[in-house]
Amino acid sequence: MASGMLSMCPTPRNTPNRPIRPVRICVCGDEGTGKSSLITSLVKGVFVTNKIQPVLPQITIPPTLGTPENVTTTTVVDTSALPQERNNLAREIRKCNVILLVYSDHYSYERVALFWLPYFRSLGVNVPVVLCANKSDLATGHSETRVVEEEMLPLMAEFKEIDSCIRTSAREHRNVNEAFFVCQKAVTHPIAPLFDSKEAALKPAAVAALQRIFYLCDKDRDGYLSDKELKDFQIRCFSKPLNEADLNHIKDTIQKAYPDSVTESGIDCQGFIHLNKLYSEKGRHETVWIILRAFQYTDNLSLQEKFLHPKFEVPPYASAELSPEGYRFFVNLFLLSDKDNDGGLNEAELASLFAPTPGLPASWVDSSFPSSTVRNEAGHVTLQGWLAQWSMTTFLSPKTTLEYLAYLGFEPSDQSDQSITAALKVTRPRRKRRRPGRVGRNVVQCHVLGAPGSGKSALLDALLSRGFSTTYHPTIQPRTAVNTVELPGGKQCYLILDELGELEPALLENQSKLLDQCDVIAYTYDSSDPDSFSYIPALLAKYPHLEELPSVFIALKADLDRTTQRAEHQPHEYTAMLNMPSPPLHVSVTWSSIQEVFVHIAEAAMEPSTAFPRSEEDVEGKWMSWGIALGAVVCAGAAAVMIWRRVGSGN
């Protein structure tokens, strides 16, 4: 209804998040209901007694004091109900944003349900309808309440497309401007997505959106909006402070329906939802829309696409990482969500943390999170594991991280730039891997390749500091593990280890993607299995482009008896033949020294030139330098002997 609005918040100001649009109003109804008189009264400001032409030409109303601030122009189109004008009527209805359906007596009222609303449906239009009871000056003895209860509410219950209703009189200029204002608001602030009038309740999508808003405004995550949080919320949405009188009025209003929803800590989510339900019930759904749009919601109650997926390009051979601001956000989110302060996020805490999102990212589900990252003895995700998981997600899919930053309420510190991309940064491309020097990156990815049973899964478990299992389970689906590795000098980086499973051939065949994303290859074999190493030369022969990536050779299961490999060359011979900087590393995941392997892998990724086969020139150059050095030593020795002899003969 257009009347009886609840006064709880100041009138909302226009904000950048409110959509700016033109509005096209199609005025429909039976002949003689006063459609043209309403339009003329709107334009002239008074009732026109002279005869008016049957159908007025369309008029355009520029923004005025009585127009919503987010409406640029309003076009009002008059129509005829005559049968011969039916085609033109249908064309105008299909072009409009809202329909003002006018009736004025019992006959035209009956026609609303019997003809007009079914006719709109038959055209397939999906626009709001504002029902207008005109000529209220002639309806003597019909009170506002009676008209609403007996005429309007039954129609609204039957036809959900009716957005609102209003009584007008063109003759007395009663509610004329208001009728068109209601039409404008039906477009800019539609009630249909918010409120179910039949059930007298907010719709599930609206409730979900408001729950997320409550969660984001509850900065301390105590389940209540404190006075300060409410005042911050008010400033964000309405750009005006909330005075104590309005604050107390809000609390009193909520308390009448839900006494337990208002405490010393503030108002709970139930009370917040109820408050917005009252706004919708009382015709103040504009207030609800201002709140929703301040938090980037569209008319269909989804988050804005450009907000969820802002433009963020990662050049080839570069990668995305969390910026210091991004890391701070996820650290604070972890600390706020760890309610029992045990240093880990359990299932309930994770569920609460991801409540304002669609759930865990799909990539996390695919990687069997939380098994992909570091957990404590109770199996709860630690802060180290939490940051490692997001570091990996940002590296592999920066758009996923940006999407969840939006859902979780990241706000950049720079108020002049509200883009959530401030939480990310782009590294420098590392196209020339063979050139000496370190890459400017903190997250690196390593594909672990090797024969089945060589110990790849155990290596990933060791990265996560998990105990060794003697039970062998072949890896079918790709598996990922991520953790921090401390490099020489104290600097840390995030190391991602990938076991490719049955997708190994497809992933290795995609040369461009492989070279773009992967930083280093770890070739593993079981030093106790004579048939294990032969897998590696065969793999390199099949995929020669693997030689374009830095590589590390690792002999696993060194705690078992070493055996001769059934291969054309033994591992140390093979790596020597390739001119690798070092022979295979012999380790066991059961040894504490296994951590040195991860350092070695990370260093190979951070300084890739050290993990490529040395060229013949490098080898010859090294021998030449050794020869020069040896020659210099010999010459120096001979000179010393000569000097000693001369000194001796002088004596």
Side-chain angles (χ1 to χ4, degrees), residues 446-448 456-457 460 475 477-480 497-501:
C446 171
H447 288 337
V448 183
K456 299 185 296 294
S457 297
L460 268 65
T475 301
Q477 297 297 322
R479 187 188 164 201
T480 303
L497 293 185
D498 289 317
E499 192 181 0
L500 306 183

Side-chain angles (χ1 to χ4, degrees), residues 239-261:
S239 303
K240 286 184 178 181
L242 184 66
N243 59 48
E244 290 300 319
D246 287 332
L247 179 60
N248 291 331
H249 182 53
I250 288 172
K251 291 181 179 180
D252 291 341
T253 303
I254 294 171
Q255 238 173 350
K256 289 178 182 176
Y258 298 100
D260 297 334
S261 289

Side-chain angles (χ1 to χ4, degrees), residues 137-159:
D137 57 297
L138 301 178
T140 57
H142 292 74
S143 66
E144 182 84 18
T145 304
R146 181 182 172 186
V147 171
V148 169
E149 292 181 353
E150 295 183 5
E151 295 182 7
M152 294 178 169
L153 287 182
L155 285 173
M156 292 185 75
E158 183 178 354
F159 298 93

